[in-house]
Amino acid sequence: MDYYTLYQYSLEKPENYWESYGKKLSWFSTWKEVIRREKYIAKWFVEGKTNISYNVTDIHTGKALIWYGENGKRIEVTFDELKRLSSSISRILMENGIRKGKRVAIYSPNSILTIASILGSARIGAIYTLIFAGLGIEAIKSRLEDFQPDFVITSNKTFRREKEVPLILQGNLNFNRDKEEEEINKLLDAEEVKPVEVESNEPLKVMYTSGTTGRPKGVVLPHGAWMVGDYTVFDLLFDLKPGDKVLTTTDVGWITFSRIMYGTLLHGSTFIFMEGAPDHPKDRLIKIIEEEQPKVLFTSPTLIRLLMKYDIKLPRVEYIATAGEIFDEKSWQYALKMADKVTDVYGQTELGYVVGIPYALEGIEAKIGYAGVPFPGMILDTVDDEGRSVRGAPGYLIAKSPFPTQFIGILNNEKKFLEYFAKFGYHDTGDVAILDGIYVKIVGRSDDMIKVAGHRITSGEVESVVSSIEGVKDVAVVGIPDEIKGEKLVIFVVGNVDKDFVKRKVTETLGPIYVVDNVYIVERLPKSRSGKTVRRILRDILLGKEVDPTILEDPEVVKEIRNEISRNI
C-alpha cells in the first residue's frame, strides 16, 4: 500500500488501523476497545492482556541476540536461550518478593544479562527502569530516590576504550563481568517461568530523561500499547522479517536502545549490539558489518560525522537509520555512500518514534535534511506562541493525535505531566520544527531557542548552515546574554575553517539579524555517552558557571574548551 492511502485510512478509521497491528502480536485476552480517548492522551487495547517479554522470547525461533565486546569477543543467544535466561532472572526476582507492579532498577552496561534482566522483569509484570552506566553518583541517587525500587540489579564494571570502568553501585543482584559466560551458562539451566498477564495500559517501564540537575523526570510508558506502537514503527520503517539482522551502536541506558531492541526482537529478527565505543578500534564497525551482514544499521548522526571525519566507509547495508539529534545534510550524503536507503527517525521518550521514512510503504521518498513524514496515525502541527499554525517557518512542534507509545504519566509528578498539554491543549514536544508539505524538519529544542533583537533563532538553523562549509566536521551553536540584543550567537566548530568566513556565511545565508559574536575552533564538542552534543555545558562554560561533566563521554573535553576560550579572550 502507498503511504498517502494508509495515512488517510489511519486518520479516518484509526480503530481499524491500529487493530490490524495489534492482531499481529500475541494476547492472552483480547481488548474490548481499541482506543478510548481521554482529555489529553488515550488508552489503547483496553482490557486486552499481554506480555511484551512473552512476545519476544516465546514466539520466535533462531538467533535473538549477538553481542560484541571491544576485544572482538562475540556471544550469540537464541530466542529459546533468551527465554531461559529471562526466566532465571524472573525466578530470582520472585524469590525476593518481586511481583507484578513492583519496581526493579537495572544499572548495568550493554550485555546479554542486562537484556535478560529487562525481559525477566517484564515477564512477571514488574515495572523496570534503566539507569545509564555512565552517570555520576548524584544523578544515580536522584533517580533511585524518585523511582524507589524494590530490587536493584547491577554489574560490577563495564569496558570502554580498553579500560575497565568500575560501576559505583552494588545491588541486590550483582553480575560479575569477569565470570560472565559462567553466569550465563548457570542461568540457562533453569525452568521456564510462566509470563504474567498485563493489561495493555498498565506500566511497563519508567525511563528517565537526561539531565543532571533538579528533580529527575521519570517518564511512565504503558506495556501492551507501547509494544504495539513500537512494533508498528519498525514494521513500517524496515519491513523486518524473522532472520533479519539489526545492528545498533546505542547504549542500553537510553530509550533509543529499548525501541530498537524490542522493535527488532518482536519481529523475530536478530538484535546485534556492542559494549564500549563503536569507533574503538576505528575498524570495529567495519569488521562487525562484514561478519554479520546486517539489514539495518541504527546509529546516531554523531557516529556518521565521526566516520566522515576519519574518512571511514562502512560495508554497504540496506538501511542506515539515525535518531537522537538533528541529522545534517552533509552527514546524510555521507551515509548514502554506505546504504541503499537512509532515514532519520524523530521521537521523544514521552511520545515514541512518530516521524521517519516508512520504506515498507510505496510512494514516499526521503528528503535529505528532513526527519521524514508523520507515521500513519500521527497528526503533527507547528504553531506560534498563540497556537496558530505556521508553515515554512519554525514553530513549536505539537502532536494533535494520541499514539500507542505515548507516555501515561510522569512518576510522582502529575503537575509536570500536565505541563506538556497546558500551553496548546495538545502534546507539546518541546521541539521546534518546520513543516514543508508532509515533511518535518527538526531545527532545535525550544529550550535552545535564541532570541536576538526580538527575533527567535534556533540553534539547528545556524548549525545546518555552518555544517555545509568545507572543512567543518562538527558544530554547535548557543546563545548567551547580551545587554543590547538580549542574546548573542556563539559558534563552536570542529574543523579547519576561517572564523570570519563562518560569520559571513551565516549572515549571508540567514539574514542580517544572524550576527555571530564569536567562533571558537575546538578539537571536539562535549558529547554525552549517547552521542548527543550537550549545548548546556558549552553555555555554562561561556558564562563561567560550574558544570557537571559526569554525563559526558570524556569529561576532559570541558578543560579543553575552557582553555580554548581563555586563549581567545
Side-chain angles (χ1 to χ4, degrees):
M1 184 178 288
D2 73 278
Y3 167 77
Y4 296 93
T5 301
L6 187 62
Y7 183 80
Q8 192 61 35
Y9 175 74
S10 74
L11 301 187
E12 292 174 355
K13 297 185 177 181
E15 286 81 5
N16 293 9
Y17 172 74
W18 286 112
E19 186 167 51
S20 70
Y21 278 100
K23 286 180 175 178
K24 293 183 179 183
L25 296 157
S26 295
W27 299 76
F28 303 118
S29 59
T30 193
W31 47 86
K32 293 186 177 178
E33 292 178 77
V34 179
I35 309 172
R36 180 186 292 169
R37 297 178 186 273
E38 299 185 336
K39 186 174 182 180
Y40 295 123
I41 58 174
K43 290 188 182 299
W44 297 84
F45 308 100
V46 181
E47 296 187 39
K49 292 185 178 179
T50 186
N51 187 289
I52 194 170
S53 180
Y54 173 81
N55 272 273
V56 164
T57 63
D58 295 49
I59 306 298
H60 307 290
T61 59
K63 297 177 187 176
L65 305 177
I66 298 173
W67 170 89
Y68 277 89
E70 274 193 344
N71 60 0
K73 188 176 180 181
R74 180 182 184 274
I75 299 177
E76 185 177 298
V77 173
T78 66
F79 279 99
D80 180 66
E81 289 169 336
L82 185 56
K83 177 171 68 173
R84 284 185 277 150
L85 287 172
S86 303
S87 289
S88 290
I89 300 297
S90 296
R91 191 167 299 284
I92 292 169
L93 292 171
M94 292 168 68
E95 288 170 354
N96 285 272
I98 304 302
R99 298 292 185 271
K100 178 183 174 184
K102 293 286 188 177
R103 298 177 185 178
V104 177
I106 303 169
Y107 170 65
S108 191
N110 286 19
S111 72
I112 297 292
L113 291 179
T114 300
I115 291 184
S117 298
I118 292 169
L119 295 173
S121 300
R123 191 172 187 86
I124 59 171
I127 304 162
Y128 68 85
T129 192
L130 293 160
I131 298 175
F132 173 48
L135 289 178
I137 186 62
E138 292 305 316
I140 293 170
K141 281 182 179 178
S142 65
R143 283 154 176 76
L144 290 176
E145 286 170 3
D146 188 68
F147 188 64
Q148 291 292 303
D150 300 292
F151 195 90
V152 180
I153 298 174
T154 58
S155 291
N156 65 334
K157 60 185 170 183
T158 184
F159 303 91
R160 195 167 182 87
R161 300 190 185 278
E162 297 181 37
K163 295 179 182 177
E164 288 190 5
V165 183
L167 299 186
I168 54 182
L169 181 68
Q170 183 161 340
N172 307 96
L173 172 62
N174 190 50
F175 298 127
N176 184 343
R177 301 302 307 288
D178 295 317
K179 299 180 178 179
E180 187 161 42
E181 288 185 89
E182 183 181 320
E183 289 187 332
I184 289 173
N185 289 331
K186 183 179 178 181
L187 291 170
L188 280 171
D189 188 23
E191 292 182 13
E192 178 186 337
V193 170
K194 185 179 179 181
V196 170
E197 298 181 9
V198 183
E199 199 276 333
S200 177
N201 299 281
E202 291 181 300
L204 167 66
K205 55 187 172 180
V206 176
M207 297 300 293
Y208 284 91
T209 54
S210 58
T212 57
T213 59
R215 184 175 176 179
K217 188 168 60 175
V219 178
V220 185
L221 299 169
H223 197 117
W226 193 92
M227 174 183 74
V228 176
D230 195 58
Y231 173 91
T232 302
V233 165
F234 277 76
D235 201 63
L236 292 170
L237 283 169
F238 311 121
D239 192 25
L240 290 179
K241 299 287 190 294
D244 286 341
K245 292 180 177 179
V246 178
L247 167 65
T248 188
T249 61
T250 55
D251 190 282
V252 69
W254 306 117
I255 185 68
T256 301
F257 186 100
S258 293
R259 290 173 179 142
I260 303 166
M261 181 196 82
Y262 280 119
T264 301
L265 296 176
L266 286 167
H267 279 86
S269 303
T270 304
F271 181 64
I272 309 170
F273 66 115
M274 63 188 71
E275 183 175 11
D279 64 328
H280 185 84
K282 284 190 170 61
D283 64 348
R284 186 182 191 195
L285 271 179
I286 292 175
K287 289 182 177 178
I288 293 174
I289 292 173
E290 284 178 343
E291 182 170 355
E292 303 296 346
Q293 299 290 304
K295 179 178 184 177
V296 181
L297 169 61
F298 210 128
T299 185
S300 67
T302 291
L303 186 90
I304 302 298
R305 288 191 287 270
L306 197 63
L307 296 172
M308 188 165 54
K309 177 181 178 180
Y310 294 113
D311 195 27
I312 296 172
K313 292 185 179 65
L314 302 176
R316 200 164 189 84
V317 296
E318 187 173 352
Y319 298 97
I320 286 180
T322 71
E325 55 183 317
I326 294 171
F327 196 11
D328 61 276
E329 293 186 27
K330 188 191 293 186
S331 300
W332 192 307
Q333 293 284 7
Y334 196 80
L336 282 170
K337 297 179 181 180
M338 303 176 286
D340 300 332
K341 300 167 186 173
V342 175
T343 182
D344 194 15
V345 190
Y346 167 78
Q348 58 169 184
T349 305
E350 301 90 333
L351 192 58
Y353 284 150
V354 293
V355 173
I357 298 298
Y359 280 114
L361 302 177
E362 298 174 354
I364 195 72
E365 294 181 354
K367 191 171 183 178
I368 294 176
Y370 286 73
V373 298
F375 292 129
M378 173 49 62
I379 301 171
L380 295 172
D381 198 3
T382 46
V383 298
D384 61 17
D385 287 308
E386 283 71 46
R388 296 173 299 210
S389 294
V390 295
R391 292 293 181 271
Y396 299 107
L397 183 64
I398 60 173
K400 301 182 86 168
S401 59
F403 209 73
T405 48
Q406 191 173 25
F407 67 157
I408 54 176
I410 299 294
L411 189 66
N412 306 321
N413 199 337
E414 178 72 9
K415 181 182 177 184
K416 175 60 71 174
F417 173 69
L418 294 175
E419 284 176 4
Y420 284 81
F421 310 94
K423 188 172 183 180
F424 302 115
Y426 295 103
H427 184 129
D428 182 1
T429 66
D431 287 309
V432 177
I434 297 172
L435 288 187
D436 182 2
I438 61 168
Y439 287 88
V440 182
K441 185 180 183 69
I442 307 298
V443 293
R445 292 286 298 167
S446 56
D447 299 1
D448 291 330
M449 192 80 80
I450 304 164
K451 292 186 178 179
V452 178
H455 297 273
R456 294 186 307 161
I457 294 171
T458 63
S459 57
E461 287 178 277
V462 184
E463 288 168 3
S464 179
V465 172
V466 178
S467 66
S468 69
I469 298 172
E470 188 70 31
V472 172
K473 296 173 180 175
D474 207 354
V475 58
V477 175
V478 297
I480 58 173
D482 180 80
E483 290 183 8
I484 307 296
K485 299 175 182 177
E487 285 188 288
K488 54 189 177 184
L489 293 172
V490 179
I491 301 177
F492 291 85
V493 175
V494 178
N496 183 21
V497 290
D498 179 76
K499 295 181 181 181
D500 290 332
F501 179 77
V502 171
K503 292 180 179 180
R504 288 198 307 272
K505 179 73 171 178
V506 169
T507 304
E508 289 170 2
T509 305
L510 297 175
I513 65 164
Y514 291 76
V515 177
V516 179
D517 182 72
N518 215 332
V519 176
Y520 294 103
I521 309 296
V522 295
E523 288 295 317
R524 51 189 177 146
L525 297 174
K527 300 281 185 179
S528 70
R529 286 277 292 276
S530 64
K532 291 184 180 181
T533 301
V534 188
R535 294 178 186 82
R536 181 181 68 251
I537 292 229
L538 293 172
R539 193 179 298 113
D540 288 347
I541 292 172
L542 287 167
L543 296 176
K545 294 182 179 180
E546 287 298 314
V547 300
D548 180 356
T550 56
I551 63 167
L552 298 179
E553 162 75 16
D554 184 357
E556 283 297 308
V557 70
V558 173
K559 186 188 299 182
E560 295 172 11
I561 292 171
R562 285 195 196 279
N563 291 339
E564 179 60 30
I565 291 171
S566 298
R567 282 194 293 268
N568 285 271
I569 292 177

